[in-house]
Amino acid sequence: MASKRDRINWKGYLPAITTPFDDERGLDLRALGGLLEWLHAEGMHGLVVAGTTGEWFSLDSAERHALFHAAGNQLAHRLPLIAGCSAYTPSEVLTHIDQAHAAGFSGVLVTPPPYARPGEEEILAFYTAIARRSRLPICVYNWPPGTGIDMPLALLERIADLDAVVAIKQSTGDMAQFMATFFALHEKVRIFGLPLDEVGLMMVRLHDADGTMGAGGVLGRHQPDFYNLAWQGDFVGALASGGKDRLIMREWFTPALIGKFGSAAAILKSALNARGVPGGRVRAPFQDVSEADAACIAATMDALGCLGAPVVAPREPALSC
């Protein structure tokens, strides 16, 4: 009997992409078009749109839905797209899911309600209400830095029993808890959150582990190549590609995943802008990184050989069919 995980083809490196804003901090769909085309050309295995890195919390509903439709019109027929649909109530989440479905997305990513810190039974009820009416497969997102809640395995097991839940993005900072989640649930749902290092490589080699929903895809093909090379049996090459990702994580973020130069979105947009890819600006409450910090970020990219690529032009949003 096929498991729920077999309903989807999500696997490998699926970056949580940034959302470009222009100088007036408006949603810049032309810049988004250029960013999406570059990410696709660099071989990403899928994309997460309007996740945490995509600053979903600063988008109103109309903007989030415009983002879904622009991305869906451009890429839904070419690779898996997962919509960030996090919100405070099930009805809000379901409104976003309906729009993602209409835009041709493959699935959705949903955290527990941030800030509110609901209890375990309340979290289960939240996901149950969403799962009963969702028109798309659900990836549950355990994101303790953003929600203040690190969902225990027993709760994740109950949530994974919901029919619409097909994946878990396990972003706990506790590797032992990640491993416990993987071995308890990977035969039922897909588990994302692998580091691009020796541990991640071991999990891919020995257990066909699913992948990573990572930060922005700013290194281009080096990040998906961790998986591409591992699947081909080139383990040395895979670790070399993964090492570039580990370097930016060390240089730009603390072990608790707090940005050293500002927000993660601001850092990643600065990196994209440095290499000529449309990253754009961040929106309040975030601030763009300082010129000095942007120089540090660019120096890291240069050391990794990621500068000097052709500039990516903005692209007009695709028209709806």
PDB file of all heavy atoms in Angstrom, residues 243 245-254 260:
ATOM      1  N   GLY A 243      29.642  22.296   1.315  1.00  0.00           N
ATOM      2  CA  GLY A 243      30.549  23.121   2.103  1.00  0.00           C
ATOM      3  C   GLY A 243      30.367  24.595   1.844  1.00  0.00           C
ATOM      4  O   GLY A 243      30.572  25.436   2.741  1.00  0.00           O
ATOM      5  N   ASP A 245      27.476  26.032   1.207  1.00  0.00           N
ATOM      6  CA  ASP A 245      26.306  26.400   2.008  1.00  0.00           C
ATOM      7  C   ASP A 245      26.669  26.513   3.484  1.00  0.00           C
ATOM      8  O   ASP A 245      26.243  27.452   4.171  1.00  0.00           O
ATOM      9  CB  ASP A 245      25.205  25.353   1.811  1.00  0.00           C
ATOM     10  CG  ASP A 245      23.934  25.673   2.575  1.00  0.00           C
ATOM     11  OD1 ASP A 245      23.118  26.460   2.048  1.00  0.00           O
ATOM     12  OD2 ASP A 245      23.768  25.167   3.703  1.00  0.00           O
ATOM     13  N   ARG A 246      27.469  25.594   3.978  1.00  0.00           N
ATOM     14  CA  ARG A 246      27.851  25.638   5.388  1.00  0.00           C
ATOM     15  C   ARG A 246      28.673  26.880   5.689  1.00  0.00           C
ATOM     16  O   ARG A 246      28.565  27.464   6.776  1.00  0.00           O
ATOM     17  CB  ARG A 246      28.636  24.374   5.768  1.00  0.00           C
ATOM     18  CG  ARG A 246      27.824  23.096   5.614  1.00  0.00           C
ATOM     19  CD  ARG A 246      28.451  21.923   6.347  1.00  0.00           C
ATOM     20  NE  ARG A 246      29.812  21.640   5.914  1.00  0.00           N
ATOM     21  CZ  ARG A 246      30.124  20.932   4.837  1.00  0.00           C
ATOM     22  NH1 ARG A 246      29.168  20.455   4.050  1.00  0.00           N
ATOM     23  NH2 ARG A 246      31.391  20.680   4.536  1.00  0.00           N
ATOM     24  N   LEU A 247      29.465  27.321   4.718  1.00  0.00           N
ATOM     25  CA  LEU A 247      30.278  28.516   4.935  1.00  0.00           C
ATOM     26  C   LEU A 247      29.402  29.752   5.113  1.00  0.00           C
ATOM     27  O   LEU A 247      29.622  30.549   6.034  1.00  0.00           O
ATOM     28  CB  LEU A 247      31.244  28.722   3.771  1.00  0.00           C
ATOM     29  CG  LEU A 247      32.104  29.986   3.873  1.00  0.00           C
ATOM     30  CD1 LEU A 247      33.035  29.909   5.078  1.00  0.00           C
ATOM     31  CD2 LEU A 247      32.918  30.201   2.600  1.00  0.00           C
ATOM     32  N   ILE A 248      28.402  29.938   4.246  1.00  0.00           N
ATOM     33  CA  ILE A 248      27.570  31.131   4.412  1.00  0.00           C
ATOM     34  C   ILE A 248      26.759  31.058   5.695  1.00  0.00           C
ATOM     35  O   ILE A 248      26.507  32.090   6.333  1.00  0.00           O
ATOM     36  CB  ILE A 248      26.661  31.393   3.181  1.00  0.00           C
ATOM     37  CG1 ILE A 248      25.624  30.286   2.986  1.00  0.00           C
ATOM     38  CG2 ILE A 248      27.494  31.597   1.924  1.00  0.00           C
ATOM     39  CD1 ILE A 248      24.564  30.639   1.944  1.00  0.00           C
ATOM     40  N   MET A 249      26.368  29.851   6.109  1.00  0.00           N
ATOM     41  CA  MET A 249      25.642  29.745   7.372  1.00  0.00           C
ATOM     42  C   MET A 249      26.529  30.150   8.546  1.00  0.00           C
ATOM     43  O   MET A 249      26.069  30.804   9.490  1.00  0.00           O
ATOM     44  CB  MET A 249      25.118  28.321   7.564  1.00  0.00           C
ATOM     45  CG  MET A 249      24.072  27.900   6.528  1.00  0.00           C
ATOM     46  SD  MET A 249      22.658  29.022   6.391  1.00  0.00           S
ATOM     47  CE  MET A 249      21.926  28.819   8.015  1.00  0.00           C
ATOM     48  N   ARG A 250      27.807  29.787   8.500  1.00  0.00           N
ATOM     49  CA  ARG A 250      28.726  30.173   9.568  1.00  0.00           C
ATOM     50  C   ARG A 250      29.046  31.663   9.528  1.00  0.00           C
ATOM     51  O   ARG A 250      29.142  32.318  10.567  1.00  0.00           O
ATOM     52  CB  ARG A 250      30.035  29.377   9.477  1.00  0.00           C
ATOM     53  CG  ARG A 250      29.923  27.918   9.827  1.00  0.00           C
ATOM     54  CD  ARG A 250      31.307  27.311  10.073  1.00  0.00           C
ATOM     55  NE  ARG A 250      32.196  27.489   8.929  1.00  0.00           N
ATOM     56  CZ  ARG A 250      32.310  26.627   7.921  1.00  0.00           C
ATOM     57  NH1 ARG A 250      31.551  25.526   7.909  1.00  0.00           N
ATOM     58  NH2 ARG A 250      33.157  26.836   6.930  1.00  0.00           N
ATOM     59  N   GLU A 251      29.226  32.191   8.313  1.00  0.00           N
ATOM     60  CA  GLU A 251      29.644  33.584   8.173  1.00  0.00           C
ATOM     61  C   GLU A 251      28.507  34.567   8.438  1.00  0.00           C
ATOM     62  O   GLU A 251      28.748  35.673   8.927  1.00  0.00           O
ATOM     63  CB  GLU A 251      30.205  33.822   6.767  1.00  0.00           C
ATOM     64  CG  GLU A 251      31.513  33.106   6.494  1.00  0.00           C
ATOM     65  CD  GLU A 251      32.666  33.687   7.286  1.00  0.00           C
ATOM     66  OE1 GLU A 251      32.733  34.915   7.414  1.00  0.00           O
ATOM     67  OE2 GLU A 251      33.494  32.895   7.786  1.00  0.00           O
ATOM     68  N   TRP A 252      27.290  34.189   8.112  1.00  0.00           N
ATOM     69  CA  TRP A 252      26.179  35.136   8.131  1.00  0.00           C
ATOM     70  C   TRP A 252      25.188  34.928   9.268  1.00  0.00           C
ATOM     71  O   TRP A 252      24.400  35.829   9.561  1.00  0.00           O
ATOM     72  CB  TRP A 252      25.404  35.055   6.815  1.00  0.00           C
ATOM     73  CG  TRP A 252      26.214  35.404   5.601  1.00  0.00           C
ATOM     74  CD1 TRP A 252      27.446  36.011   5.561  1.00  0.00           C
ATOM     75  CD2 TRP A 252      25.866  35.147   4.236  1.00  0.00           C
ATOM     76  NE1 TRP A 252      27.868  36.157   4.267  1.00  0.00           N
ATOM     77  CE2 TRP A 252      26.922  35.639   3.420  1.00  0.00           C
ATOM     78  CE3 TRP A 252      24.742  34.574   3.626  1.00  0.00           C
ATOM     79  CZ2 TRP A 252      26.889  35.558   2.033  1.00  0.00           C
ATOM     80  CZ3 TRP A 252      24.721  34.487   2.243  1.00  0.00           C
ATOM     81  CH2 TRP A 252      25.778  34.976   1.465  1.00  0.00           C
ATOM     82  N   PHE A 253      25.226  33.757   9.927  1.00  0.00           N
ATOM     83  CA  PHE A 253      24.216  33.442  10.944  1.00  0.00           C
ATOM     84  C   PHE A 253      24.866  32.849  12.189  1.00  0.00           C
ATOM     85  O   PHE A 253      25.916  32.205  12.114  1.00  0.00           O
ATOM     86  CB  PHE A 253      23.183  32.447  10.384  1.00  0.00           C
ATOM     87  CG  PHE A 253      22.427  32.968   9.197  1.00  0.00           C
ATOM     88  CD1 PHE A 253      22.845  32.671   7.903  1.00  0.00           C
ATOM     89  CD2 PHE A 253      21.313  33.764   9.366  1.00  0.00           C
ATOM     90  CE1 PHE A 253      22.173  33.162   6.802  1.00  0.00           C
ATOM     91  CE2 PHE A 253      20.619  34.262   8.264  1.00  0.00           C
ATOM     92  CZ  PHE A 253      21.056  33.965   6.982  1.00  0.00           C
ATOM     93  N   THR A 254      24.216  33.055  13.321  1.00  0.00           N
ATOM     94  CA  THR A 254      24.648  32.423  14.557  1.00  0.00           C
ATOM     95  C   THR A 254      24.167  30.969  14.567  1.00  0.00           C
ATOM     96  O   THR A 254      23.324  30.584  13.745  1.00  0.00           O
ATOM     97  CB  THR A 254      24.061  33.151  15.772  1.00  0.00           C
ATOM     98  OG1 THR A 254      22.639  32.891  15.826  1.00  0.00           O
ATOM     99  CG2 THR A 254      24.302  34.653  15.699  1.00  0.00           C
ATOM    100  N   LYS A 260      23.697  37.733  11.492  1.00  0.00           N
ATOM    101  CA  LYS A 260      24.748  38.565  12.086  1.00  0.00           C
ATOM    102  C   LYS A 260      24.713  39.996  11.552  1.00  0.00           C
ATOM    103  O   LYS A 260      25.268  40.899  12.184  1.00  0.00           O
ATOM    104  CB  LYS A 260      26.115  37.949  11.798  1.00  0.00           C
ATOM    105  CG  LYS A 260      26.348  36.599  12.457  1.00  0.00           C
ATOM    106  CD  LYS A 260      27.741  36.055  12.133  1.00  0.00           C
ATOM    107  CE  LYS A 260      27.995  34.709  12.781  1.00  0.00           C
ATOM    108  NZ  LYS A 260      29.344  34.182  12.461  1.00  0.00           N
TER     109      LYS A 260
END
